[in-house]
Amino acid sequence: MADKVIVIGAGAAGLMASGVAAERGKEVLLIEKNDKPARKVMITGKGRCNVTNNCNLINDLIANVPTNGRFMYSAFSRFMPSDTIDFFEDMGVPLKVERGDRVFPESDKASDIVDALNRFSQDADVKRIKGTVKGLIIEDGSVKGVTLENGESFFSDKVIIATGGASYPLTGSTGDGYKLAEQAGHSVVDIKPSLVPLVCHEGFCSDLQGLSLRNVEITVFDTESYKEIYNDFGEMLFTHFGVSGPLILSASSHMKDIRERKYEIHIDLKPALTYEQLDKRIQRDFLENSNKNFINALDALLPKKLVPVIVRLSGIKPSTKVNQITKEMRAKLVNILKDLKVTVLRFHPIEEAIITSGGVSTKEIDPKTMESKLCKGLYFAGEVIDVDAYTGGFNLQIAFSTGRLAGESV
């Protein structure tokens, strides 16, 4: 008689784990509280699904997992991004690689990824029911099954918790797995948003709402220790409340113990130019527009929406003729363009975070199997574990790699 396995949660990790376990001859029951599986996968990559990152050196992969990256060594080794790509293409979903080695379905439809995961699980004869797991059945230090909120009980030899984190609760990620883990004696590292937009002090952020900047460099400083905690080059976005975009989301994962004004973001709007080169560029622009007002002489240098903000911050009157701008005035303008500062007040609510930081402590999970060190037969996969990565497909790769390893291990 085949071992019985219960998988809780039909997201990316749960669908992968259930299909793999069933392919290996287990009798698998997948329990999902939503009507449809993988609802969070449907909204990733703005509905396009950044399915993985075409990064196939394991040390590079781990470098993109700032929280407990070394824990992922075995799982990544067993199932790399190249394996993820092969998996989906074998399932009939052609993929493409875009900027930053981000991998998307050629169709740009997240639904193709969800359909493939769903089909993989169904083709392996995974039985599926809708329900919310209320608790684990534990006897003599081993998991024996689960009870549902409706009072039903299901018994099994193994249980995989793949319930996701606490971000985007409308997709079903409401932190259920943390309560189940604690019931089994596990520690849960404090939950906070990761890969989340940032609420900022400066009023000009709302003036710039909707402005996307490419090819800028940001440096984040901890104002209490005066240390640089993050630096990168890429794309960011201004919002009505502060800042967002790929650079900002990645920076947020480095902001530990966030408090009002603890972190400052310094934006270099022209990182390809030194201060001296930028000054010469501005002098050329001013020479060509010598009789124009200052506010009308920056269009070749900056996006239109940014011009009035930079003019205001420079302290130079908008009506000043550019041929009257002094060297000192120009130096202040250059400094603002090379070091536009925004002050972080707080994270945007966890409900809008892409990923949850925190979760079941990695110290209590065997990284080679994903099995609990505290409760025999209990396994974990995906975002419920205290592991999170940067944007670019790395978090879904964590889900697939841990889901695969848990499915194999049971």
Side-chain angles (χ1 to χ4, degrees), residues 47 97 132 139 154 173 199 213 229 276 292 296 317 351:
V97 180
T132 300
E139 296 176 7
F154 294 89
S173 296
V199 179
L213 298 176
I229 65 157
E276 293 75 18
K292 281 190 176 182
N296 297 321
K317 289 183 179 178
E351 289 80 12

Side-chain angles (χ1 to χ4, degrees), residues 194-244:
S194 185
L195 302 184
V196 66
L198 301 171
V199 179
C200 297
H201 164 72
E202 286 72 17
F204 65 71
C205 290
S206 60
D207 297 336
L208 298 173
Q209 179 180 351
L211 176 64
S212 179
L213 298 176
R214 292 192 174 190
N215 304 321
V216 297
E217 182 178 8
I218 69 166
T219 306
V220 181
F221 289 97
D222 182 327
T223 62
E224 295 176 1
S225 66
Y226 303 104
K227 288 183 179 177
E228 176 185 316
I229 65 157
Y230 182 76
N231 173 271
D232 205 359
F233 172 89
E235 185 177 345
M236 64 169 288
L237 172 73
F238 286 98
T239 70
H240 67 282
F241 56 80
V243 288
S244 187

Side-chain angles (χ1 to χ4, degrees), residues 249-318:
L249 298 180
S250 290
S252 72
S253 66
H254 288 265
M255 297 180 181
K256 312 297 182 185
D257 186 29
I258 193 164
R259 293 189 296 279
E260 196 167 294
R261 300 175 187 269
K262 179 175 166 65
Y263 297 104
E264 287 180 352
I265 302 170
H266 295 251
I267 307 166
D268 186 345
L269 297 167
K270 298 291 176 181
L273 301 175
T274 64
Y275 279 76
E276 293 75 18
Q277 289 169 334
L278 181 55
D279 186 41
K280 288 179 181 176
R281 161 73 195 274
I282 291 169
Q283 288 182 63
R284 286 199 306 272
D285 287 356
F286 282 1
L287 196 60
E288 292 171 8
N289 300 281
S290 58
N291 292 315
K292 281 190 176 182
N293 292 342
F294 176 47
I295 196 162
N296 297 321
L298 298 174
D299 290 347
L301 187 67
L302 298 169
K304 190 174 183 179
K305 204 168 191 175
L306 190 55
V307 170
V309 170
I310 295 299
V311 169
R312 189 165 74 243
L313 293 173
S314 74
I316 303 170
K317 289 183 179 178

Side-chain angles (χ1 to χ4, degrees), residues 62-97:
I62 289 170
N64 280 282
V65 184
T67 304
N68 297 318
R70 297 305 301 178
F71 173 81
M72 288 299 303
Y73 193 92
S74 292
F76 280 156
S77 297
R78 296 285 291 273
F79 199 73
M80 292 285 284
S82 56
D83 299 311
T84 299
I85 291 169
D86 289 345
F87 172 84
F88 284 105
E89 295 200 323
D90 289 346
M91 292 297 296
V93 184
L95 304 176
K96 59 183 176 181
V97 180

